[in-house]
Amino acid sequence: MPPEASNPGANLPAPMPALALPTPLSAASAAPPPITALTAAAAPASTVYPLPEYLREQLNDLAAWREILEKEESRDRKVFYLLKLLALPSAAFATLFTFLKIELAGQITAATAALAIAIDTFYPAGRKATAASNAVYELAQLQHDIKDWWIAGRLDRKDPDKVGKEIMTRISDHKTRLTRSLRDAAKLA
């Protein structure tokens, strides 16, 4: 084996010398440019085209709805897994107790499993949690889209009132669809 193969770093070139950074000529040249030098073209579009008050209210309403749905989703998800974690071992123990001829314990655990399954049937927490989770995602996307639609409409030099009306129509359509999907998920099986 050649000596270079035992030391892979032996063939690397020497490191480059560090570059010396130039020092500023004066304190004035080191200072950043004044804020007045920034133009509207350099500012983000959201500050150039601020949202009207009624769209900001819609964003706040959607954020509040999203928070409520996040709480409901968390609660329903916990109920869903609690019922599953209660039903599965209860059914397994009911089978074991029946096999071991311990009838009372088998009946109690079988009743517990049946009760957990019945509650899950009449209160579809898993389906509600999934619908709420999807709605939370869609509301977050809608909040983002509202800002994008506004900026795009203003950059296209459309009338602000017309852009606002189009956005309000889209928001209404989204709310109706989300409400319908949440209501359908909450219906009894």
Side-chain angles (χ1 to χ4, degrees):
M1 176 187 235
E4 297 87 26
S6 64
N7 186 2
N11 293 333
L12 294 177
M16 302 247 339
L19 295 175
L21 296 175
T23 57
L25 299 176
S26 69
S29 66
I35 293 183
T36 55
L38 295 176
T39 62
S46 60
T47 59
V48 175
Y49 302 113
L51 287 170
E53 183 63 30
Y54 62 92
L55 286 180
R56 283 196 302 269
E57 287 175 8
Q58 286 295 319
L59 286 174
N60 292 337
D61 290 346
L62 293 173
W65 192 17
R66 197 169 121 203
E67 282 183 33
I68 291 168
L69 286 174
E70 285 173 342
K71 290 176 184 174
E72 287 180 9
E73 188 265 340
S74 175
R75 184 194 66 227
D76 287 339
R77 189 78 57 201
K78 289 174 186 172
V79 168
F80 172 77
Y81 284 113
L82 175 70
L83 292 173
K84 297 299 181 217
L85 290 174
L86 181 64
L88 185 63
S90 295
F93 279 114
T95 305
L96 177 67
F97 291 144
T98 302
F99 177 74
L100 296 175
K101 306 282 191 230
I102 307 173
E103 292 183 20
L104 182 60
Q107 292 170 351
I108 292 172
T109 54
T112 304
L115 180 63
I117 292 170
I119 292 171
D120 188 46
T121 300
F122 292 111
Y123 182 77
R127 200 170 28 175
K128 286 177 63 178
T130 301
S133 179
N134 291 341
V136 165
Y137 171 77
E138 289 184 33
L139 286 172
Q141 184 63 43
L142 178 60
Q143 288 174 299
H144 178 75
D145 288 346
I146 290 169
K147 296 172 190 172
D148 284 349
W149 294 331
W150 176 256
I151 293 169
R154 297 298 292 137
L155 288 174
D156 289 343
R157 301 193 187 285
K158 292 182 180 176
D159 178 37
D161 291 334
K162 185 178 179 182
V163 172
K165 287 178 185 176
E166 290 173 3
I167 292 173
M168 291 300 288
T169 302
R170 289 178 177 180
I171 292 171
S172 177
D173 293 344
H174 277 277
K175 283 182 173 180
T176 302
R177 189 178 48 75
L178 285 175
T179 302
R180 188 178 308 123
S181 69
L182 290 169
R183 187 177 49 240
D184 291 345
K187 287 182 180 177
L188 296 178

